[in-house]
Amino acid sequence: MQLIEVKNRSEELAFLDVARELYKNDPEWVCPLDTDIEAVFNPEKNTYYQHGEATRWILKNSSGKLIGRVAAFINEKKANYNNKRIGGIGFFESINDETASKMLLDAAIDWLKERKVTTVDGPINFGENDQYWGLLVEGFTQPSYGMAYNHPYYKQLLESYGFQKKMEQITNEFTLENGLSPRFVKIAEYVMQRRPNLEIREFKPALIDGFAEDFMNIYNSAWAEFENFTPIKKEYVIETFRKIKPIVDPGLVQFAYVDGEPAAFVMCLPDVNQIFKKFNGKLNLWNKLRFVWLKKTKYITRVRVVVMGSKPKFQNMGLESVLTYCCFKHTITNTNVNEIELSWVGDFNEKMLAIHRGLGAKPSKKHITYRLELN
């Protein structure tokens, strides 16, 4: 077997092709867009390179066939925490062979050790955790846009190497065919009636600067208490909003304000993977035209709730229920969507899981973020 660190354009393309080779017979897999994966490893497009670094490897067998890949990265803003120095691995793919997977993982771990890493998390992304994060261990059905998908045997490969579960990421889902839960609707409408100082605003792409400021304000307050949290910058939010602009439905991104103060938000995205499945990762001009046409025909029938947050001082007001209600009311009225995916929520986040239960959602997928202590 031949392990190659990605250094040139040919190897970059091979890194992308590994997944196409390993999943070519899997009917559920959706090839991520090449442009999305390449952006992760492009310092001009990924702001994490301002305070971190990353590298990649591909693995070939003796015949030159692609049989695996892996990436390693370190984010200096989050690396040093609680007497640990944390690095990450991600984009791991391998044939079902422990020798092959060990070669890949050894390369990534050795690179991280050179940077004095003591703790390795994976599979994760060199970016925020809303995309390509965690190992799928339950619910091997077609993934929504940005959600990690992998072969079932990856669990054994990682655990046999020594990785242990750090946390579970729960995804639940429900359908709209019978409408929203009456109890949930009653709670949302009650909150809106009782709070005249509450204002709900739909996201407007033309006012991206102001909404980015509000998103950053709420997000940094909502997640400040979580382990190893690093505040996001407005530039990153604007970059994210611009990235999703071609696919976003403004009615599915809602903000709540209390006495004019940004208090909570919810961001849902149409599951464009239902269209991207046809593209095999290639977003050329023809596929861009196909995407615009298919989107207009209401081809998309599923929505993914990507992220939701509320400032701590507003977290017992029921704002998350109100925002979710507004998004789903818009969905029922204006789209052909029937399936709602609530993804993913850490097993430690009982408040959000309670909202899922209130909606009547049922478990659909489970991912695991693993940790390896090098000492």
Side-chain angles (χ1 to χ4, degrees):
M1 288 183 283
Q2 182 184 14
L3 184 70
I4 304 168
E5 187 171 3
V6 174
K7 296 290 189 181
N8 57 45
R9 184 57 182 162
S10 175
E11 292 157 359
E12 290 173 352
L13 294 175
F15 184 85
L16 299 171
D17 286 338
V18 169
R20 276 187 275 266
E21 177 64 30
L22 266 61
Y23 293 99
K24 61 185 178 183
N25 296 319
D26 187 334
E28 298 296 338
W29 180 67
V30 178
C31 185
L33 294 180
D34 290 351
T35 51
D36 285 354
I37 302 299
E38 290 194 291
V40 174
F41 300 99
N42 186 340
E44 295 181 2
K45 295 184 178 181
N46 187 348
T47 58
Y48 275 66
Y49 277 94
Q50 296 174 11
H51 43 79
E53 56 180 319
T55 191
R56 293 168 280 175
W57 294 266
I58 56 175
L59 185 65
K60 297 181 179 181
N61 65 13
S62 57
S63 302
K65 183 178 180 180
L66 292 167
I67 59 172
R69 74 180 188 188
V70 73
F73 20 78
I74 184 167
N75 174 6
E76 293 294 349
K77 278 194 172 183
K78 294 187 177 183
N80 301 302
Y81 177 78
N82 203 20
N83 297 319
K84 299 179 184 292
R85 182 160 169 80
I86 304 170
I89 65 161
F91 300 93
F92 171 74
E93 305 286 359
S94 174
I95 58 172
N96 191 4
D97 182 282
E98 286 196 12
T99 301
S101 65
K102 186 176 185 301
M103 284 187 68
L104 290 161
L105 295 171
D106 280 349
I109 299 302
D110 288 344
W111 184 87
L112 291 168
K113 283 181 177 178
E114 290 174 3
R115 285 147 184 82
K116 310 301 181 185
V117 165
T118 63
T119 303
V120 182
D121 288 345
I124 62 173
N125 183 22
F126 191 42
E128 292 298 323
N129 61 13
D130 60 315
Q131 290 194 332
Y132 315 125
W133 200 284
L135 188 82
L136 182 65
V137 295
E138 292 181 16
F140 293 88
T141 56
Q142 182 172 311
S144 297
Y145 178 68
M147 290 289 284
Y149 182 89
N150 50 262
H151 288 301
Y153 62 80
Y154 284 19
K155 183 176 186 289
Q156 172 62 28
L157 293 179
L158 289 179
E159 291 181 357
S160 65
Y161 190 85
F163 281 91
Q164 298 181 335
K165 182 174 69 176
K166 177 189 175 185
M167 69 171 177
E168 293 183 348
Q169 301 149 219
I170 311 300
T171 296
N172 295 308
E173 67 179 12
F174 68 97
T175 64
L176 292 173
E177 58 189 4
N178 296 320
L180 294 172
S181 160
R183 180 175 179 274
F184 183 84
V185 171
K186 185 176 180 180
I187 291 172
E189 292 181 342
Y190 175 79
V191 172
M192 288 188 287
Q193 293 169 2
R194 286 290 302 271
R195 298 195 177 277
N197 59 340
L198 171 63
E199 180 186 1
I200 305 300
R201 300 178 195 170
E202 178 182 298
F203 173 67
K204 297 185 184 304
L207 304 176
I208 189 172
D209 190 80
F211 280 108
E213 181 78 27
D214 295 343
F215 186 100
M216 178 192 68
N217 190 320
I218 298 165
Y219 185 94
N220 287 341
S221 177
W223 273 271
E225 64 185 60
F226 290 108
E227 175 186 340
N228 203 19
F229 172 73
T230 301
I232 58 172
K233 294 183 178 180
K234 183 177 177 180
E235 293 77 13
Y236 175 81
V237 181
I238 290 176
E239 176 188 333
T240 300
F241 279 172
R242 286 176 176 162
K243 179 182 176 182
I244 66 173
K245 186 177 179 180
I247 66 175
V248 73
D249 178 341
L252 296 178
V253 182
Q254 301 272 353
F255 288 75
Y257 299 80
V258 177
D259 292 323
E261 178 183 352
F265 68 80
V266 62
M267 176 184 288
C268 311
L269 292 178
D271 182 18
V272 289
N273 261 9
Q274 292 182 300
I275 297 175
F276 289 164
K277 186 173 177 62
K278 301 173 177 293
F279 297 171
N280 200 28
K282 306 297 184 182
L283 196 58
N284 50 34
L285 177 59
W286 171 239
N287 281 341
K288 287 180 180 178
L289 293 173
R290 292 173 70 196
F291 174 79
V292 172
W293 181 77
L294 287 169
K295 187 181 176 185
K296 285 183 177 179
T297 62
K298 294 187 176 181
Y299 189 88
I300 296 172
T301 60
R302 181 166 62 183
V303 159
R304 175 190 170 198
V305 181
V306 178
V307 62
M308 185 184 301
S310 177
K311 288 182 177 178
K313 66 179 180 180
F314 299 118
Q315 285 180 359
N316 294 319
M317 291 177 56
L319 300 185
E320 297 94 339
S321 297
V322 171
L323 291 171
T324 304
Y325 168 73
C326 291
C327 283
F328 295 160
K329 186 176 180 181
H330 168 86
T331 299
I332 293 170
T333 305
N334 300 287
T335 75
N336 197 39
V337 166
N338 184 48
E339 301 172 63
I340 305 295
E341 181 176 274
L342 305 161
S343 63
W344 54 264
V345 177
D347 54 8
F348 53 83
N349 195 342
E350 180 55 35
K351 289 182 179 178
M352 204 59 66
L353 291 172
I355 292 176
H356 288 197
R357 290 192 293 269
L359 282 163
K362 305 297 182 183
S364 61
K365 296 180 186 291
K366 182 187 292 184
H367 292 75
I368 291 178
T369 299
Y370 284 97
R371 171 161 283 185
L372 176 68
E373 298 290 357
L374 299 183
N375 293 333

